[in-house]
PDB file of all heavy atoms in Angstrom:
ATOM      1  N   ALA A 154     124.543  90.096  86.616  1.00  0.00           N
ATOM      2  CA  ALA A 154     123.654  91.196  86.243  1.00  0.00           C
ATOM      3  C   ALA A 154     123.356  92.055  87.471  1.00  0.00           C
ATOM      4  O   ALA A 154     123.629  91.672  88.599  1.00  0.00           O
ATOM      5  CB  ALA A 154     122.348  90.634  85.682  1.00  0.00           C
ATOM      6  N   PHE A 155     122.767  93.213  87.203  1.00  0.00           N
ATOM      7  CA  PHE A 155     122.204  94.057  88.262  1.00  0.00           C
ATOM      8  C   PHE A 155     120.799  94.436  87.818  1.00  0.00           C
ATOM      9  O   PHE A 155     120.451  94.297  86.640  1.00  0.00           O
ATOM     10  CB  PHE A 155     123.069  95.296  88.545  1.00  0.00           C
ATOM     11  CG  PHE A 155     123.136  96.285  87.419  1.00  0.00           C
ATOM     12  CD1 PHE A 155     122.274  97.369  87.381  1.00  0.00           C
ATOM     13  CD2 PHE A 155     124.070  96.150  86.407  1.00  0.00           C
ATOM     14  CE1 PHE A 155     122.336  98.295  86.351  1.00  0.00           C
ATOM     15  CE2 PHE A 155     124.152  97.072  85.376  1.00  0.00           C
ATOM     16  CZ  PHE A 155     123.279  98.138  85.339  1.00  0.00           C
ATOM     17  N   SER A 156     119.974  94.899  88.760  1.00  0.00           N
ATOM     18  CA  SER A 156     118.577  95.188  88.432  1.00  0.00           C
ATOM     19  C   SER A 156     118.117  96.513  89.018  1.00  0.00           C
ATOM     20  O   SER A 156     118.642  96.982  90.028  1.00  0.00           O
ATOM     21  CB  SER A 156     117.667  94.062  88.954  1.00  0.00           C
ATOM     22  OG  SER A 156     117.983  92.839  88.327  1.00  0.00           O
ATOM     23  N   LEU A 157     117.124  97.084  88.358  1.00  0.00           N
ATOM     24  CA  LEU A 157     116.420  98.266  88.843  1.00  0.00           C
ATOM     25  C   LEU A 157     115.155  97.769  89.521  1.00  0.00           C
ATOM     26  O   LEU A 157     114.408  96.973  88.937  1.00  0.00           O
ATOM     27  CB  LEU A 157     116.072  99.191  87.675  1.00  0.00           C
ATOM     28  CG  LEU A 157     115.261 100.445  87.999  1.00  0.00           C
ATOM     29  CD1 LEU A 157     116.038 101.383  88.918  1.00  0.00           C
ATOM     30  CD2 LEU A 157     114.868 101.163  86.705  1.00  0.00           C
ATOM     31  N   TYR A 158     114.923  98.207  90.758  1.00  0.00           N
ATOM     32  CA  TYR A 158     113.774  97.775  91.545  1.00  0.00           C
ATOM     33  C   TYR A 158     112.910  98.957  91.936  1.00  0.00           C
ATOM     34  O   TYR A 158     113.395 100.077  92.092  1.00  0.00           O
ATOM     35  CB  TYR A 158     114.237  97.100  92.851  1.00  0.00           C
ATOM     36  CG  TYR A 158     114.875  95.755  92.683  1.00  0.00           C
ATOM     37  CD1 TYR A 158     116.234  95.642  92.454  1.00  0.00           C
ATOM     38  CD2 TYR A 158     114.123  94.592  92.781  1.00  0.00           C
ATOM     39  CE1 TYR A 158     116.843  94.403  92.321  1.00  0.00           C
ATOM     40  CE2 TYR A 158     114.717  93.352  92.653  1.00  0.00           C
ATOM     41  CZ  TYR A 158     116.076  93.269  92.417  1.00  0.00           C
ATOM     42  OH  TYR A 158     116.671  92.042  92.287  1.00  0.00           O
ATOM     43  N   GLN A 159     111.637  98.634  92.181  1.00  0.00           N
ATOM     44  CA  GLN A 159     110.701  99.590  92.756  1.00  0.00           C
ATOM     45  C   GLN A 159     110.256  99.052  94.103  1.00  0.00           C
ATOM     46  O   GLN A 159     109.914  97.875  94.237  1.00  0.00           O
ATOM     47  CB  GLN A 159     109.480  99.763  91.854  1.00  0.00           C
ATOM     48  CG  GLN A 159     108.457 100.712  92.433  1.00  0.00           C
ATOM     49  CD  GLN A 159     107.202 100.824  91.584  1.00  0.00           C
ATOM     50  OE1 GLN A 159     107.086 100.197  90.531  1.00  0.00           O
ATOM     51  NE2 GLN A 159     106.256 101.614  92.043  1.00  0.00           N
ATOM     52  N   SER A 160     110.239  99.920  95.097  1.00  0.00           N
ATOM     53  CA  SER A 160     109.733  99.571  96.416  1.00  0.00           C
ATOM     54  C   SER A 160     108.276 100.013  96.483  1.00  0.00           C
ATOM     55  O   SER A 160     107.969 101.182  96.254  1.00  0.00           O
ATOM     56  CB  SER A 160     110.549 100.295  97.495  1.00  0.00           C
ATOM     57  OG  SER A 160     110.038 100.012  98.773  1.00  0.00           O
ATOM     58  N   VAL A 161     107.385  99.071  96.764  1.00  0.00           N
ATOM     59  CA  VAL A 161     105.957  99.388  96.851  1.00  0.00           C
ATOM     60  C   VAL A 161     105.404  98.887  98.173  1.00  0.00           C
ATOM     61  O   VAL A 161     105.933  97.967  98.781  1.00  0.00           O
ATOM     62  CB  VAL A 161     105.144  98.770  95.676  1.00  0.00           C
ATOM     63  CG1 VAL A 161     105.579  99.350  94.355  1.00  0.00           C
ATOM     64  CG2 VAL A 161     105.255  97.264  95.661  1.00  0.00           C
ATOM     65  N   GLY A 162     104.320  99.500  98.617  1.00  0.00           N
ATOM     66  CA  GLY A 162     103.666  99.055  99.837  1.00  0.00           C
ATOM     67  C   GLY A 162     104.062  99.881 101.036  1.00  0.00           C
ATOM     68  O   GLY A 162     104.694 100.935 100.924  1.00  0.00           O
ATOM     69  N   GLU A 163     103.680  99.371 102.170  1.00  0.00           N
ATOM     70  CA  GLU A 163     103.912 100.058 103.429  1.00  0.00           C
ATOM     71  C   GLU A 163     105.392 100.143 103.768  1.00  0.00           C
ATOM     72  O   GLU A 163     106.154  99.233 103.452  1.00  0.00           O
ATOM     73  CB  GLU A 163     103.169  99.329 104.560  1.00  0.00           C
ATOM     74  CG  GLU A 163     101.674  99.273 104.382  1.00  0.00           C
ATOM     75  CD  GLU A 163     101.043 100.644 104.365  1.00  0.00           C
ATOM     76  OE1 GLU A 163     101.404 101.480 105.208  1.00  0.00           O
ATOM     77  OE2 GLU A 163     100.191 100.882 103.492  1.00  0.00           O
ATOM     78  N   LYS A 164     105.777 101.224 104.446  1.00  0.00           N
ATOM     79  CA  LYS A 164     107.173 101.412 104.822  1.00  0.00           C
ATOM     80  C   LYS A 164     107.679 100.253 105.674  1.00  0.00           C
ATOM     81  O   LYS A 164     108.789  99.790 105.489  1.00  0.00           O
ATOM     82  CB  LYS A 164     107.351 102.733 105.562  1.00  0.00           C
ATOM     83  CG  LYS A 164     108.790 103.015 105.906  1.00  0.00           C
ATOM     84  CD  LYS A 164     108.965 104.342 106.567  1.00  0.00           C
ATOM     85  CE  LYS A 164     110.439 104.561 106.866  1.00  0.00           C
ATOM     86  NZ  LYS A 164     110.693 105.833 107.468  1.00  0.00           N
ATOM     87  N   GLY A 165     106.884  99.759 106.584  1.00  0.00           N
ATOM     88  CA  GLY A 165     107.302  98.666 107.454  1.00  0.00           C
ATOM     89  C   GLY A 165     107.252  97.304 106.794  1.00  0.00           C
ATOM     90  O   GLY A 165     107.821  96.348 107.308  1.00  0.00           O
ATOM     91  N   ASP A 166     106.600  97.188 105.653  1.00  0.00           N
ATOM     92  CA  ASP A 166     106.473  95.893 104.997  1.00  0.00           C
ATOM     93  C   ASP A 166     106.428  96.062 103.473  1.00  0.00           C
ATOM     94  O   ASP A 166     105.452  95.699 102.829  1.00  0.00           O
ATOM     95  CB  ASP A 166     105.212  95.180 105.498  1.00  0.00           C
ATOM     96  CG  ASP A 166     105.184  93.712 105.114  1.00  0.00           C
ATOM     97  OD1 ASP A 166     106.257  93.136 104.869  1.00  0.00           O
ATOM     98  OD2 ASP A 166     104.079  93.147 105.052  1.00  0.00           O
ATOM     99  N   PRO A 167     107.492  96.621 102.891  1.00  0.00           N
ATOM    100  CA  PRO A 167     107.467  96.859 101.444  1.00  0.00           C
ATOM    101  C   PRO A 167     107.704  95.576 100.649  1.00  0.00           C
ATOM    102  O   PRO A 167     108.183  94.574 101.181  1.00  0.00           O
ATOM    103  CB  PRO A 167     108.634  97.824 101.240  1.00  0.00           C
ATOM    104  CG  PRO A 167     109.608  97.424 102.302  1.00  0.00           C
ATOM    105  CD  PRO A 167     108.753  97.050 103.490  1.00  0.00           C
ATOM    106  N   GLN A 168     107.363  95.646  99.387  1.00  0.00           N
ATOM    107  CA  GLN A 168     107.715  94.602  98.434  1.00  0.00           C
ATOM    108  C   GLN A 168     108.612  95.252  97.401  1.00  0.00           C
ATOM    109  O   GLN A 168     108.411  96.417  97.038  1.00  0.00           O
ATOM    110  CB  GLN A 168     106.481  94.038  97.736  1.00  0.00           C
ATOM    111  CG  GLN A 168     105.624  93.170  98.623  1.00  0.00           C
ATOM    112  CD  GLN A 168     104.505  92.560  97.790  1.00  0.00           C
ATOM    113  OE1 GLN A 168     103.775  93.290  97.125  1.00  0.00           O
ATOM    114  NE2 GLN A 168     104.391  91.261  97.828  1.00  0.00           N
ATOM    115  N   TYR A 169     109.605  94.490  96.924  1.00  0.00           N
ATOM    116  CA  TYR A 169     110.520  95.015  95.923  1.00  0.00           C
ATOM    117  C   TYR A 169     110.221  94.341  94.598  1.00  0.00           C
ATOM    118  O   TYR A 169     110.373  93.129  94.460  1.00  0.00           O
ATOM    119  CB  TYR A 169     111.971  94.780  96.340  1.00  0.00           C
ATOM    120  CG  TYR A 169     112.308  95.391  97.692  1.00  0.00           C
ATOM    121  CD1 TYR A 169     113.164  94.765  98.564  1.00  0.00           C
ATOM    122  CD2 TYR A 169     111.762  96.611  98.082  1.00  0.00           C
ATOM    123  CE1 TYR A 169     113.475  95.324  99.796  1.00  0.00           C
ATOM    124  CE2 TYR A 169     112.064  97.174  99.309  1.00  0.00           C
ATOM    125  CZ  TYR A 169     112.922  96.524 100.164  1.00  0.00           C
ATOM    126  OH  TYR A 169     113.229  97.075 101.371  1.00  0.00           O
ATOM    127  N   LEU A 170     109.803  95.144  93.623  1.00  0.00           N
ATOM    128  CA  LEU A 170     109.446  94.637  92.305  1.00  0.00           C
ATOM    129  C   LEU A 170     110.552  94.977  91.309  1.00  0.00           C
ATOM    130  O   LEU A 170     110.958  96.130  91.200  1.00  0.00           O
ATOM    131  CB  LEU A 170     108.136  95.265  91.839  1.00  0.00           C
ATOM    132  CG  LEU A 170     106.943  95.142  92.787  1.00  0.00           C
ATOM    133  CD1 LEU A 170     105.746  95.896  92.232  1.00  0.00           C
ATOM    134  CD2 LEU A 170     106.615  93.676  93.022  1.00  0.00           C
ATOM    135  N   LYS A 171     110.996  93.960  90.589  1.00  0.00           N
ATOM    136  CA  LYS A 171     112.043  94.175  89.594  1.00  0.00           C
ATOM    137  C   LYS A 171     111.438  94.835  88.364  1.00  0.00           C
ATOM    138  O   LYS A 171     110.469  94.345  87.799  1.00  0.00           O
ATOM    139  CB  LYS A 171     112.680  92.847  89.219  1.00  0.00           C
ATOM    140  CG  LYS A 171     113.972  92.994  88.472  1.00  0.00           C
ATOM    141  CD  LYS A 171     114.580  91.671  88.067  1.00  0.00           C
ATOM    142  CE  LYS A 171     114.571  90.656  89.168  1.00  0.00           C
ATOM    143  NZ  LYS A 171     115.022  89.352  88.738  1.00  0.00           N
ATOM    144  N   ILE A 172     112.010  95.968  87.959  1.00  0.00           N
ATOM    145  CA  ILE A 172     111.564  96.690  86.772  1.00  0.00           C
ATOM    146  C   ILE A 172     112.356  96.242  85.548  1.00  0.00           C
ATOM    147  O   ILE A 172     111.801  96.034  84.477  1.00  0.00           O
ATOM    148  CB  ILE A 172     111.710  98.213  86.966  1.00  0.00           C
ATOM    149  CG1 ILE A 172     110.754  98.696  88.060  1.00  0.00           C
ATOM    150  CG2 ILE A 172     111.463  98.956  85.668  1.00  0.00           C
ATOM    151  CD1 ILE A 172     110.918 100.154  88.406  1.00  0.00           C
ATOM    152  N   ALA A 173     113.681  96.125  85.705  1.00  0.00           N
ATOM    153  CA  ALA A 173     114.544  95.766  84.579  1.00  0.00           C
ATOM    154  C   ALA A 173     115.820  95.111  85.112  1.00  0.00           C
ATOM    155  O   ALA A 173     116.249  95.412  86.227  1.00  0.00           O
ATOM    156  CB  ALA A 173     114.895  96.994  83.752  1.00  0.00           C
TER     157      ALA A 173
END
Side-chain angles (χ1 to χ4, degrees):
F155 66 95
S156 298
L157 177 64
Y158 289 88
Q159 178 184 359
S160 178
V161 296
E163 299 298 316
K164 183 177 181 178
D166 193 23
Q168 288 185 306
Y169 303 144
L170 306 176
K171 194 182 315 174
I172 294 175

